[in-house]
């Protein structure tokens, strides 16, 4: 342990003799670009970084450590004698502040990665002599301040990353001399406000990231100083107001992330200059209404993320101006009625990815889904059946997880066989002969093999892959009966032999379930007068194909929670019905 011990092997090859040295717990090799690389990843190194006896031709040095065996190193000025170094990565090594003129003479150094150390305040002379440096990474240190001109000797720097440090403000002229800087990443510093002054030196900046910077607004002057910006990420901040001309100077913008803020409205002209924009994320904001012309000028948009907002309606013409290129649309986590989603995407032939997870959908009818779709996410809805005709033929990825499926039909499975990525987990799979046979015959798919039964009782959490058809019982949950009396009759008629054989324990459990469910059911009815419970229950019964309200979907210990989820679902049905009525469809 302790210092690095270097092993040198003297080899004789034909007439020439050369020495290749390698530290004891490092590896030395030619990297993919044919450079001499030294890599030490074992960790546990402490004291001054020792480079004694190291081959002078080293071009790439990489020292890091596993999470449970971090290094505790201080830098060693002798590194200056390795004049051929092009990359230095010393990470997870608890390096404290750097010394004066530390990298002096390393004219070829292009990449310096000092992430995950204990640097608190870099100073300009730390970087003196690195005139070729193109990329500097200081992520995950404890930098609390950067004096003006910190990077002024790095005249060729193109990428500067100081993410997840402890800065609260940036000094004026902190980026002095960084005229060639293209990429600036400041995410994860609680900067609250960005002073336009600091951007005056960054004439070439094209990528700016400040996620999680606790920003409440952006001074419009900043944008006027950054006309070449192509990528702007202001996600996970606290921005609530966007000026109606907020982005007017950013005419080259290709991607804009505003996800995770508190934006509640988008003015019509907000994106009027962003004809180059390809990806826009407004996910996790507070949008409740979008004007039909919100995106009119975004002719080059291929990706639009509006997920987890408060949208309850979308205008059917919202996507018309941009539908020629729109490839990926994410509407998850809103409560837009399925009829409006259909109208929004009507006859769309371009869309490839559609995500409508957590949208309270209870059914997907024909003609809703665009015909060329390859990726469809329907996770977290209330679907219990899905007809194969609904799914586009081009589909290659389908996510039906977190729904209410108890089984899938053979027709559905045949349709799904060609889908390469399938997610079916977290559904109440009912492992009996009525529901699970088509799935069970596909357990050689790993995505089916690992599904878990939710019922019957004795197969709860059993992997589908560990079940054999012969082990299945007749239908334990009465999907096809409508009254309690019939339920018991069904049990008596068809299961009498099995019950006798598997002792009366199962029956006892069923009775307890019945009593519990009946109790909760009556409680729900007692609360009818201030909700529309009656109506909902009626509709619910018709929707779930006459399943018993007692022993249908909700036969589970999670009953109270499921009931509240249901209300959302049912509200959506109401809306669908109303919508359908008003549309006369
Ligand atoms: C380095 O580690 C060795 C053994 O693990 C220990 O004896 C020594 O005190 C450590 N040195 C420093 C500077 O922490
Ligand atoms: C810098 O080091 C960190 C920590 O080891 C690593 O995650 C990151 O990918 C490195 N960056 C580059 C550009 O190599
Ligand atoms: C990081 O450096 C500070 C002084 O700059 C020191 O007090 C602290 O102990 C160091 N942290 C670790 C984990 O060594
Ligand atoms: C966001 O800003 C509001 C004021 O606009 C403030 O009250 C709130 O604490 C801020 N939230 C966070 C997480 O910074
Ligand atoms: C879309 O982008 C391409 C390439 O960047 C550009 O040539 C074209 O003008 C853009 N379309 C519009 C409508 O601006
Ligand atoms: C699974 O089994 C079916 C026939 O039972 C076969 O057609 C299919 O190729 C198998 N798939 C895999 C991934 O083994």
């Amino acid at each position: 342990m302790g210092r690095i011990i270097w092993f040198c092997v003297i080899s004789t090859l034909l007439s020439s003799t050369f020495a290749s040295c390698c530290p004891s717990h490092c590896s030395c090799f030619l990297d993919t670009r044919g450079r001499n690389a030294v890599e030490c990843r074992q960790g546990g190194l402490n004291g001054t970084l020792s480079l004694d006896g190291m081959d002078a031709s080293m071009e790439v040095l990489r020292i890091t450590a596993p999470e449970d065996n971090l290094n505790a190193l201080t830098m060693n000025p002798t590194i200056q004698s390795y004049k051929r170094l092009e990359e230095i990565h010393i990470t997870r090594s608890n390096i404290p502040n750097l010394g004066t003129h530390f990298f002096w003479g390393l004219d070829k150094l292009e990449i310096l990665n000092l992430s995950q150390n204990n640097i608190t305040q870099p100073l300009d002379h730390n970087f003196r002599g690195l005139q070729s440096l193109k990329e500097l990474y200081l992520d995950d240190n404890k930098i609390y301040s950067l004096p003006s001109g910190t990077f002024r000797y790095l005249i060729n720097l193109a990428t500067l990353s100081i993410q997840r440090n402890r800065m609260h403000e940036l000094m004026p002229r902190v980026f002095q001399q960084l005229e060639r800087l293209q990429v600036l990443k400041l995410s994860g510093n609680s900067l609250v406000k960005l002073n336009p002054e600091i951007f005056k030196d960054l004439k070439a900046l094209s990528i700016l990231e400040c996620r999680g910077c606790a920003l409440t607004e952006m001074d419009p002057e900043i944008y006027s100083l950054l006309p070449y910006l192509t990528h702007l990420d202001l996600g996970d901040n606290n921005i609530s107001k966007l000026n109606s001309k907020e982005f007017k100077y950013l005419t080259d913008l290709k991607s804009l992330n505003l996800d995770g803020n508190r934006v509640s409205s988008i003015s019509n002209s907000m994106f009027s200059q962003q004809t180059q924009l390809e990806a826009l994320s407004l996910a996790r904001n507070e949008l409740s209404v979008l004007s039909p012309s919100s995106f009119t000028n975004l002719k080059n948009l291929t990706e639009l993320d509006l997920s987890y907002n408060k949208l309850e309606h979308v205008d059917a013409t919202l996507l018309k101006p941009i539908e020629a290129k729109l490839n990926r649309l994410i509407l998850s986590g809103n409560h837009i009625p399925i009829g409006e989603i259909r109208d929004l995407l009507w006859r769309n032939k371009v869309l490839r990815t559609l995500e409508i997870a957590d949208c309270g959908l209870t059914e997907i009818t024909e003609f809703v889904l665009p015909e060329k779709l390859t990726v469809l996410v329907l996770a977290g809805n209330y679907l219990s059946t899905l007809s194969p005709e609904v799914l586009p033929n081009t589909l290659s990825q389908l996510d039906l997880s977190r729904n209410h499926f108890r089984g899938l039909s053979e027709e559905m499975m045949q349709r799904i066989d060609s889908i390469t990525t399938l997610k079916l987990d977290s559904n109440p799979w009912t492992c009996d002969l009525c529901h699970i046979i088509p799935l069970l015959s596909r357990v050689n798919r790993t995505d089916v093999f690992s599904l878990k039964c939710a019922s019957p009782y004795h197969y709860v959490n059993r992997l589908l892959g560990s079940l054999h058809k012969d082990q299945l019982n007749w239908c334990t949950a009465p999907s096809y009966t409508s009254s309690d009396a019939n339920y018991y009759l069904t049990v008596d008629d068809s299961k009498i032999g099995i019950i006798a054989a598997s002792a009366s324990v199962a029956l006892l459990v069923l009775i307890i379930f019945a009593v519990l469910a009946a109790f909760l059911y009556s409680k729900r009815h007692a609360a009818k007068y201030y909700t529309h419970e009656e109506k909902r229950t009626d509709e619910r019964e018709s929707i779930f194909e006459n399943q018993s309200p007692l022993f249908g979907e909700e036969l589970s210990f999670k009953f109270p929670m499921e009931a509240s989820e249901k209300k959302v679902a049912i509200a959506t049905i109401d809306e669908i019905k109303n919508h359908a009525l008003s549309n006369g469809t």
Side-chain angles (χ1 to χ4, degrees):
M1 294 301 283
R3 298 163 74 93
I4 304 178
I5 303 158
W6 302 88
F7 283 123
C8 298
V9 184
I10 312 292
S11 5
T12 310
L13 210 116
L14 300 174
S15 57
S16 70
T17 303
F18 63 91
S20 61
C21 301
C22 202
S24 59
H25 24 264
C26 303
S27 54
C28 304
F29 53 94
L30 292 181
D31 74 0
T32 50
R33 290 166 56 190
R35 299 175 300 180
N36 286 322
V38 176
E39 194 171 88
C40 316
R41 324 189 133 262
Q42 286 187 7
L45 305 171
N46 66 4
T48 309
L49 174 66
S50 166
L51 300 161
D52 300 340
M54 179 61 206
D55 194 331
S57 66
M58 171 168 65
E59 289 163 298
V60 178
L61 173 63
R62 221 179 264 275
I63 296 175
T64 186
E67 195 73 60
D68 58 352
N69 196 20
L70 298 179
N71 298 327
L73 293 173
T74 51
M75 289 294 285
N76 184 342
T78 58
I79 201 166
Q80 291 172 6
S81 54
Y82 296 87
K83 300 246 180 272
R84 294 177 63 176
L85 275 170
E86 292 177 10
E87 292 187 23
I88 297 178
H89 304 258
I90 302 179
T91 60
R92 296 179 169 222
S93 296
N94 203 28
I95 291 183
N97 287 332
L98 305 163
T100 308
H101 300 174
F102 221 83
F103 301 104
W104 182 259
L106 297 180
D107 318 334
K108 293 203 167 149
L109 198 68
E110 292 190 352
I111 301 180
L112 178 57
N113 186 355
L114 296 171
S115 298
Q116 296 182 285
N117 284 300
N118 191 18
I119 298 169
T120 53
Q121 190 178 39
L123 299 169
D124 59 355
H125 56 240
N126 298 147
F127 305 113
R128 202 156 176 188
L130 293 175
Q131 65 264 35
S132 302
L133 199 70
K134 294 213 168 61
E135 303 176 21
L136 176 59
Y137 302 93
L138 295 168
D139 301 335
D140 302 292
N141 277 282
K142 293 174 187 161
I143 298 169
Y144 63 88
S145 99
L146 292 172
S148 301
T150 301
F151 308 104
R152 67 194 166 117
Y153 298 113
L154 304 175
I155 51 172
N156 281 306
L157 200 66
T159 299
L160 176 59
S161 183
I162 324 175
Q163 304 181 88
R164 298 173 299 275
N165 275 279
R166 298 181 178 176
M167 298 183 291
H168 290 285
E169 66 173 327
L170 292 170
M171 293 291 158
R173 305 306 308 271
V174 60
F175 301 127
Q176 194 188 342
Q177 298 293 339
L178 295 184
E179 290 188 3
R180 305 209 169 140
L181 197 72
Q182 291 174 8
V183 181
L184 178 60
K185 300 188 179 187
L186 297 170
S187 299
N189 289 286
S190 208
L191 295 167
V192 184
K193 207 166 166 26
L194 294 175
N195 182 348
E197 272 309 292
I198 61 171
F199 294 101
K200 287 200 164 141
D201 295 300
L202 303 175
K203 300 203 165 54
L205 202 66
S206 65
I207 297 180
L208 175 60
E209 295 181 7
C210 206
R211 284 189 85 83
C213 287
L215 303 175
T216 50
E217 59 177 1
M218 284 288 271
D219 189 323
E221 198 189 339
I222 295 174
Y223 300 130
S224 73
L225 291 166
L226 302 174
Y228 304 116
L229 221 51
T230 58
H231 170 105
L232 176 61
D233 188 348
L234 297 174
D236 289 324
N237 280 297
N238 195 6
I239 299 170
S240 53
K241 272 228 157 52
L242 292 175
N243 201 304
S244 68
K245 295 250 158 47
E246 180 91 12
F247 304 110
K248 71 172 170 181
Y249 297 106
L250 304 182
T251 54
D252 289 358
L253 218 49
K254 282 189 155 40
S255 84
L256 176 58
N257 289 350
L258 293 167
D259 54 302
N261 279 286
R262 302 195 297 136
V263 178
S264 55
S265 71
I266 298 287
S267 84
N268 279 344
S269 52
M270 186 166 310
F271 303 118
S272 60
Q273 305 299 314
Q274 278 66 49
T275 52
Q276 308 294 316
L277 198 67
E278 292 168 6
L280 173 61
S281 176
L282 291 163
R284 297 181 293 116
N285 275 283
E286 292 172 8
L287 297 170
S288 53
V289 189
L290 284 173
S291 128
S293 44
S294 302
F295 307 125
T296 308
N297 284 358
L298 300 177
K299 305 281 188 219
N300 262 334
L301 201 69
T302 56
E303 227 182 286
L304 177 60
D305 188 346
L306 294 171
S307 59
Y308 301 95
N309 274 285
K310 297 178 175 167
L311 299 171
E312 291 183 356
H313 296 285
V314 283
D315 193 281
T317 60
L318 181 72
L319 302 179
K320 283 284 173 262
I322 59 172
E323 74 179 2
K325 287 201 173 173
L326 194 67
N327 201 286
R328 186 156 188 257
L329 177 63
I330 308 179
L331 293 174
S332 301
N334 290 291
H335 278 82
I336 307 168
I338 190 70
E340 293 192 22
I341 294 177
R342 180 197 57 207
D343 297 347
L344 190 68
L345 302 175
W346 181 244
R347 301 239 161 115
N348 185 311
K349 290 188 167 57
V350 179
L351 204 67
R352 294 291 182 276
T353 299
L354 176 63
E355 298 189 16
I356 37 179
D358 302 312
C359 282
L361 304 177
T362 50
E363 58 173 350
I364 307 277
T365 47
E366 239 173 312
F367 310 122
V368 168
L369 302 171
E371 56 185 89
K372 293 276 167 61
L373 222 50
T374 58
V375 179
L376 175 62
V377 178
L378 290 169
N381 284 297
Y382 302 110
L383 303 172
S384 55
T385 58
L386 192 60
S387 141
E389 293 84 57
V390 166
L391 299 176
N393 292 322
T394 42
L395 213 58
S396 69
Q397 287 184 34
L398 176 64
D399 186 348
L400 294 176
S401 57
R402 297 187 290 116
N403 274 284
H404 286 179
F405 291 101
R406 295 207 258 158
L408 291 172
S409 68
E410 179 58 30
E411 296 74 42
M412 187 63 184
M413 287 316 296
Q414 280 172 12
R415 180 70 198 77
I416 283 177
D417 280 341
S418 59
I419 290 177
T420 48
T421 310
L422 190 59
K423 279 197 182 153
L424 297 173
D425 60 278
S426 311
N427 277 287
W429 302 116
T430 301
C431 296
D432 61 28
L433 290 168
C434 294
H435 294 96
I436 214 76
I437 297 294
L439 265 174
L440 205 56
S441 64
R442 269 101 177 161
V443 285
N444 64 353
R445 289 185 69 125
T446 46
D447 38 30
V448 175
F449 186 94
S450 55
L451 298 179
K452 285 180 179 163
C453 304
S455 63
Y457 181 70
H458 50 283
Y459 286 147
V460 171
N461 280 336
R462 189 72 183 260
L463 285 185
L464 231 58
S466 73
L467 271 180
H468 192 268
K469 198 175 158 182
D470 301 341
Q471 295 169 296
L472 300 184
N473 292 342
W474 286 108
C475 318
T476 42
S479 322
Y480 313 109
T481 56
S482 54
S483 78
D484 313 358
N486 279 348
Y487 173 73
Y488 287 110
L489 275 178
T490 316
V491 169
D492 288 342
D493 283 351
S494 63
K495 287 192 65 188
I496 193 81
I498 300 160
I499 289 170
S502 62
S504 51
V505 176
L507 189 59
L508 193 63
V509 168
L510 283 169
I511 289 167
I512 293 169
F513 270 37
V515 170
L516 186 67
F519 172 67
L520 290 165
Y521 186 61
S522 66
K523 257 182 83 174
R524 262 157 57 102
H525 274 257
K528 253 186 245 173
Y529 64 92
Y530 59 81
T531 65
H532 297 294
E533 197 76 23
E534 186 107 66
K535 195 165 144 228
R536 284 180 191 143
T537 309
D538 290 342
E539 288 190 359
R540 218 181 120 269
E541 277 169 1
S542 62
I543 278 151
F544 294 109
E545 293 175 337
N546 281 338
Q547 289 170 16
S548 152
L550 276 183
F551 299 99
E553 296 290 304
E554 298 169 353
L555 184 53
S556 137
F557 287 119
K558 288 188 297 181
F559 186 89
M561 199 191 83
E562 295 252 326
S564 68
E565 281 177 4
K566 269 285 152 36
K567 283 178 189 159
V568 184
I570 303 310
T572 310
I573 296 170
D574 289 347
E575 283 161 22
I576 294 167
K577 296 243 155 136
N578 292 342
H579 180 75
L581 281 177
S582 66
N583 268 359
T585 45

